[in-house]
Amino acid sequence: MPLLVLTLLLAACAPVPQRAGIPTSWQGSPNFDERKPNFVVIHHTSDDTVDQALRTLANPVRKVSAHYLIGRDGAIIQLVDERARAWHAGESKWGADADINSASLGIELDNNGREPFSDAQISALLRLLYDIRERYHIPAANYLGHADVAPRRKTDPSRYFPWKTLAEHGFGLWCDPPFPQPPAAFDATAALRALGYDTGDATAAIRAFKLHFLPEESSSALTEQSRGLLYCLYQKAAG
Ligand SMILES: [Zn+2]
């Protein structure tokens, strides 16, 4: 192939830079790399099979997706390039970050929400998380559930999700009982906010917090036990 044709072909494949909407000059710099995700958000699909989930996650009308879908058998399917913004978290917030889709990778687990997650599926998830952490160095506290970042709207992954197991591998925070006694002035709502929860609806935030860290407590009130747990996590997050 003549060199000129080859050069033109290669030039045609180079991505066009995203430029400002107003006239600017271009002076390229070599000092950059790709933007990288800083959160992982875990979901359950609410479906009974991977095929059902795929029909939703790849349907242009539904406008939902995730970077990965993991089957009950542990098979991992990638649906969206990690550099792209998948549509999995929707309206969501964590700390000051109000656009979680732009900052995260989304992982869907094939699970209907009323059943335990299989060992094969959790092993595959852990393998994927190790790979993701190796490449992006996402901090432990930033492995979250959909309900954590959208407490008013979402309850996934369900109470069956093994957050404690994930935390043992460094994905997510955790505290085991006995929990410390918080000081009298301890402000639980402020602590939830400090962890990252959107406390605009405090009851929803408490419910999401318990779903993640204390699923055996079914009430949405803060008990002595859940206050102690919150205080422990708050201290860990503060580092
Ligand atoms: Zn979800």
Side-chain angles (χ1 to χ4, degrees):
M1 189 179 291
L3 185 61
L4 178 63
V5 175
L6 187 63
T7 310
L8 286 174
L9 273 176
L10 286 174
C13 295
V16 178
Q18 180 73 39
R19 301 284 302 273
I22 56 169
T24 59
S25 62
W26 175 269
Q27 178 63 61
S29 167
N31 304 328
F32 66 93
D33 54 14
E34 286 173 3
R35 291 171 191 266
K36 61 187 190 68
N38 196 38
F39 295 93
V40 171
V41 179
I42 295 168
H43 306 254
H44 71 239
T45 60
S46 301
D47 288 318
D48 287 318
T49 66
V50 157
D51 285 347
Q52 264 182 343
L54 283 175
R55 276 199 289 277
T56 303
L57 295 170
N59 182 340
V61 176
R62 298 296 294 273
K63 297 201 178 304
V64 292
S65 64
H67 294 91
Y68 294 97
L69 167 64
I70 306 181
R72 288 167 168 79
D73 60 358
I76 305 174
I77 301 168
Q78 183 164 5
L79 297 101
V80 176
D81 186 320
E82 287 184 354
R83 293 168 295 189
R85 181 176 179 272
W87 299 340
H88 59 96
E91 194 183 318
S92 52
K93 196 164 184 283
W94 189 254
D97 201 324
D99 179 8
I100 299 298
N101 277 342
S102 287
S104 67
L105 294 176
I107 302 176
E108 288 276 1
L109 302 176
D110 179 33
N111 179 288
N112 63 22
R114 304 180 300 278
E115 60 188 337
F117 294 81
S118 74
D119 290 345
Q121 190 174 42
I122 297 304
S123 301
L125 172 64
L126 286 169
R127 283 199 305 280
L128 179 58
L129 291 180
Y130 271 101
D131 172 70
I132 287 170
R133 181 170 61 192
E134 176 78 21
R135 290 181 291 117
Y136 298 120
H137 308 291
I138 297 174
N142 292 3
Y143 296 82
L144 301 166
H146 198 184
D148 293 315
V149 299
R152 283 182 231 241
R153 301 187 300 115
K154 294 293 174 181
T155 56
D156 67 307
S158 76
R159 64 190 306 278
Y160 297 106
F161 186 74
W163 284 112
K164 179 180 163 71
T165 305
L166 261 70
E168 284 164 1
H169 292 266
F171 305 114
L173 299 179
W174 194 257
C175 281
D176 276 317
F179 305 126
Q181 176 79 32
F186 180 61
D187 180 340
T189 308
L192 282 169
R193 200 158 45 237
L195 283 183
Y197 285 96
D198 176 3
T199 54
D201 179 340
T203 307
I206 293 167
R207 207 166 42 230
F209 162 73
K210 283 195 175 181
L211 177 69
H212 185 137
F213 296 103
L214 201 61
E216 59 272 26
E217 261 199 21
S218 53
S219 83
S220 56
L222 276 176
T223 57
E224 191 179 333
Q225 176 170 244
S226 47
R227 275 175 61 86
L229 167 59
L230 178 56
Y231 182 54
C232 176
L233 290 166
Y234 169 74
Q235 287 180 310
K236 275 199 179 175

